[in-house]
Amino acid sequence: MVKKIFERFYIGIILLFLYAPILILIMLSFNKSKSRARWGGFTFHWYKELFQNEDIMNALYTTLIIAFLSALIATIIGTAAAIAMNSMKRTPRTILMAITNIPMLNADIVTGISLMLIFVALRFTLGFTSVLIAHITFNIPYVILSVMPKLKQLNPHTFEAALDLGASPVYAFFKVILPDIFSGVISGFFLAFTMSLDDFVITHFTKGPEINTLSTKIYTEVRKGIKPEMYALSTLLFVTVLLLLIIINRKGAEKKVPLKQN
Amino acid sequence: MKVPLNVKNKMFQKPAKDSDKEFKIGRVNQVKLLSFPYIIWMVGFIIIPLLMILYYGLTDRDNNLTFKNIALISDPINRKALLLALELSLISTIICLLLAYPLAMVLRKNHKTSNSFIVLIIILPMWMNFLLRTIAWQNILEKTGIINSILQFFHLPTLNIINTSAAIILGMVYNFLPFMVLPIYNVLVKVDKDVINAARDLGANGRQTFLKIILPLSIPGVVSGITMVFVPSLTTFVISTILGGSKIVLIGNVIEQQFRLGNWNTGSGLSLVLMVFILFSMAILSKYDKESEGSNLW
């Protein structure tokens, strides 16, 4: 019993450690004073300002577009690659898996620099497209690693049965395989989206001067002080995702109930 | 619904020696063609770019071969930055390990709720920008910050750790702790309960079971966690910029600065030195990670 209380306490402490900064940022978004260091009273002012601030809205737009497109393209390329790798012999599969691991294990700063060098060598102007390509590159591994376990769980005979019954391989893929691995594909997509959203270092090196994502915009403000609208925007993003997760969890819980009764 | 089916399959299949034959999408050999876009992408945007660093690092502005860029690491400022980065990242890796292992053990016990916990510690915080989260630590650690206000309230001596190495270590632990928890948790849940029960049946006490059974079996997760924390800590320049003030310079800051100033050759040369450490930890990781082929990360 004492042990259990101690375990709960430990988890609580870790969560406090991880969430204290987030709570502070949420508080700062309601802070009347422009300075980070002083509490000037409660206000919704920054939330109203936020939607008038074109710079921030532009950065948000760029961030979301890049996150969405990079996650989508990475999901397509990554899922295709995972299916192909799954049917490969051991050696080529191991080699491809090792390559997949490079961007995950490599330092962001090295990945960012190397991509910048290749873009410059190809005389490719740094901007939206270069950032998008960079994000796709570091997102593909996350998709592959999400889809792979689902593929390994697949029952190989269902696909063969579909083919025996006259389905074309493509038709069988969409009707038999995709539904089974779909949860992996979706979680890969959301993981990739989140990674892209939170990335700073690789974007920092591959973006040109004209374009800013939220991360790079925040970085330029580190020295002179963050605009409070930024706290408001982050709070909105965070709360939206929190609510979505709660809803998904609720739905998952509802689904599980009848299963238990069986 | 899918789970029982799989369990059944596993029960009837012999532990496949020839895992190549596990599953192929039909007899269609063209399925391998699906990996082509990926292979082209990875060669174009991972392998060739890394070779570019090698090229820039080993040449000067006039494209002549030189080792001067790499030798710059022995410059006192750069060497100090590298040594400090090594020291701080080692310390934060150890702290992460000490914090994460017990946490993973607790999570393993009630692993029905753990999946949502993993989301809670890894995915959700990312929606609050990583730079902002680190900046928030300034608020907590500052002279007039939250911790000091609390300490003052109780008339305790105040802490002065903002703009010191301690603040950077804290920032590293804060940012990378989840990457230590996840791989350790992933191996711990896979430890067969029967093995643990067998050890208990044979008379091992809790401590012995842990030291002889659980700990050795969890080593691959620990190694992968160590890499996942050590590499980003060693190479960060953001955390040191935000929490270390301008006085503390890590190797990441030096490289970033070289690129900002346009000294690409120097920056690449120093990156090559850094990559030696990264490759070293990757090599150790792959030694322990052969069986899983890295797919257990998420």
Side-chain angles (χ1 to χ4, degrees):
Chain A
M1 195 59 203
V2 177
K3 206 176 168 195
K4 192 140 207 188
I5 292 171
F6 186 76
E7 285 172 355
R8 286 274 151 85
F9 181 72
Y10 188 64
I11 291 190
I13 291 281
I14 297 277
L15 278 181
L16 180 70
F17 175 62
L18 292 175
Y19 277 84
I22 293 177
L23 292 177
I24 284 168
L25 292 168
I26 294 177
M27 259 170 64
L28 284 175
S29 75
F30 296 111
N31 184 5
K32 216 175 230 163
S33 149
K34 237 188 163 167
S35 146
R36 191 170 48 74
R38 216 178 60 240
W39 178 251
F42 185 89
T43 179
F44 276 116
H45 179 69
W46 307 120
Y47 287 86
K48 279 178 228 150
E49 282 295 274
L50 167 67
F51 294 99
Q52 258 103 62
N53 189 326
E54 227 170 80
D55 271 3
I56 292 185
M57 284 328 244
N58 273 338
L60 172 68
Y61 180 73
T62 314
T63 309
L64 290 179
I65 287 275
I66 285 179
F68 178 76
L69 286 180
S70 68
L72 185 70
I73 298 171
T75 306
I76 295 168
I77 298 179
T79 308
I83 291 170
M85 276 153 80
N86 200 41
S87 58
M88 279 178 185
K89 290 224 169 68
R90 195 173 189 89
T91 321
R93 194 176 54 194
T94 316
I95 293 171
L96 281 188
M97 219 53 212
I99 298 175
T100 309
N101 277 333
I102 293 177
M104 303 204 56
L105 297 175
N106 204 347
D108 280 358
I109 188 172
V110 175
T111 309
I113 288 169
S114 68
L115 282 164
M116 183 194 86
L117 291 176
I118 192 87
F119 289 136
V120 172
L122 295 173
R123 307 196 188 284
F124 195 89
T125 332
L126 295 181
F128 183 86
T129 320
S130 60
V131 176
L132 180 64
I133 291 175
H135 281 222
I136 295 171
T137 308
F138 73 73
N139 273 340
I140 293 176
Y142 290 107
V143 176
I144 293 184
L145 293 184
S146 305
V147 176
M148 227 28 171
K150 293 281 166 207
L151 279 171
K152 284 194 174 144
Q153 286 172 12
L154 268 188
N155 182 343
H157 304 302
T158 48
F159 185 77
E160 282 169 19
L163 291 184
D164 286 345
L165 292 169
S168 72
V170 177
Y171 184 83
F173 168 76
F174 281 105
K175 287 287 173 186
V176 176
I177 296 189
L178 194 59
D180 270 355
I181 61 169
F182 198 64
S183 61
V185 175
I186 287 292
S187 72
F189 175 85
F190 282 111
L191 196 58
F193 191 94
T194 312
M195 288 294 165
S196 163
L197 196 81
D198 198 47
D199 175 70
F200 164 71
V201 177
I202 294 171
T203 317
H204 177 68
F205 285 105
T206 51
K207 84 180 184 79
E210 285 115 58
I211 191 173
N212 257 325
T213 64
L214 288 175
S215 298
T216 56
K217 186 143 185 49
I218 291 167
Y219 191 69
T220 57
E221 290 174 1
V222 166
R223 295 256 182 245
K224 47 186 178 174
I226 307 287
K227 291 209 178 77
E229 291 97 318
M230 209 50 113
Y231 302 130
L233 176 60
S234 309
T235 304
L236 285 179
L237 283 175
F238 179 80
V239 171
T240 314
V241 174
L242 179 65
L243 290 177
L244 278 177
L245 283 176
I246 291 173
I247 293 170
I248 291 169
N249 261 343
R250 275 273 170 82
K251 278 205 169 157
E254 275 167 24
K255 265 187 199 163
K256 272 176 198 159
V257 174
L259 268 181
K260 267 181 193 165
Q261 284 167 347
N262 283 338
Chain B
M1 292 241 281
K2 272 173 234 153
V3 179
L5 211 150
N6 290 319
V7 172
K8 213 168 102 191
N9 275 344
K10 266 186 201 156
M11 275 166 61
F12 289 117
Q13 277 164 7
K14 278 185 188 165
K17 235 188 222 169
D18 44 356
S19 62
D20 298 344
K21 285 180 192 163
E22 270 176 359
F23 165 62
K24 296 188 178 164
I25 295 194
R27 296 133 270 190
V28 199
N29 211 24
Q30 291 110 305
V31 75
K32 282 176 195 156
L33 295 179
L34 285 173
S35 64
F36 267 44
Y38 170 69
I39 293 172
I40 293 168
W41 193 283
M42 285 324 229
V43 169
F45 297 114
I46 293 289
I47 305 208
I48 296 177
L50 286 178
L51 295 176
M52 293 290 293
I53 293 194
L54 195 66
Y55 173 76
Y56 271 90
L58 292 176
T59 53
D60 60 15
R61 268 170 200 276
D62 307 318
N63 296 334
N64 298 319
L65 186 75
T66 173
F67 288 103
K68 233 164 66 194
N69 301 315
I70 296 178
L72 271 174
I73 196 66
S74 59
D75 178 89
I77 297 173
N78 297 341
R79 199 178 53 202
K80 205 179 139 209
L82 177 66
L83 289 178
L84 185 63
L86 278 170
E87 185 192 327
L88 297 189
S89 51
L90 273 176
I91 296 173
S92 44
T93 308
I94 292 168
I95 296 177
C96 277
L97 182 60
L98 293 179
L99 287 176
Y101 205 101
L103 187 65
M105 288 289 282
V106 176
L107 291 179
R108 171 183 162 272
K109 256 196 223 162
N110 15 357
H111 74 114
K112 268 179 196 155
T113 50
S114 300
N115 269 341
S116 49
F117 183 83
I118 297 277
V119 172
L120 204 62
I121 63 166
I122 295 180
I123 307 293
L124 188 57
M126 281 190 181
W127 283 78
M128 203 59 139
N129 191 284
F130 133 76
L131 295 166
L132 286 182
R133 277 181 284 142
T134 311
I135 291 167
W137 276 105
Q138 290 181 340
N139 271 46
I140 302 177
L141 300 175
E142 265 163 351
K143 271 186 191 144
T144 53
I146 291 171
I147 289 187
N148 279 342
S149 308
I150 297 171
L151 288 174
Q152 259 168 3
F153 183 79
F154 293 109
H155 299 286
L156 291 164
T158 54
L159 271 175
N160 248 333
I161 68 167
I162 189 79
N163 298 344
T164 65
S165 302
I168 298 179
I169 291 174
L170 197 130
M172 289 171 175
V173 173
Y174 170 74
N175 272 305
F176 306 127
L177 178 65
F179 299 114
M180 183 69 91
V181 178
L182 192 62
I184 297 180
Y185 168 74
N186 275 341
V187 283
L188 281 182
V189 283
K190 280 186 196 137
V191 172
D192 195 340
K193 280 220 175 79
D194 294 341
V195 180
I196 296 172
N197 289 336
R200 298 306 292 259
D201 286 347
L202 292 170
N205 60 27
R207 220 178 103 201
Q208 282 169 323
T209 320
F210 175 76
L211 288 177
K212 298 269 178 189
I213 307 285
I214 300 178
L215 190 62
L217 283 174
S218 66
I219 291 297
V222 171
V223 173
S224 133
I226 288 174
T227 344
M228 302 278 288
V229 174
F230 180 70
V231 172
S233 310
L234 178 69
T235 56
T236 184
F237 65 94
V238 179
I239 297 172
S240 44
T241 306
I242 295 176
L243 293 176
S246 46
K247 276 182 199 152
I248 301 179
V249 178
L250 301 185
I251 190 70
N253 297 79
V254 175
I255 294 174
E256 198 265 344
Q257 195 190 23
Q258 292 296 344
F259 274 91
R260 196 153 25 91
L261 298 174
N263 303 330
W264 292 3
N265 300 95
T266 315
S268 300
L270 296 177
S271 307
L272 283 179
V273 178
L274 209 53
M275 276 165 78
V276 172
F277 290 95
I278 299 171
L279 285 176
F280 185 65
S281 41
M282 275 186 184
I284 294 176
L285 179 67
S286 67
K287 215 179 152 188
Y288 283 95
D289 204 32
K290 260 178 199 150
E291 283 160 45
S292 60
E293 293 180 345
S295 55
N296 64 344
L297 214 48
W298 292 95

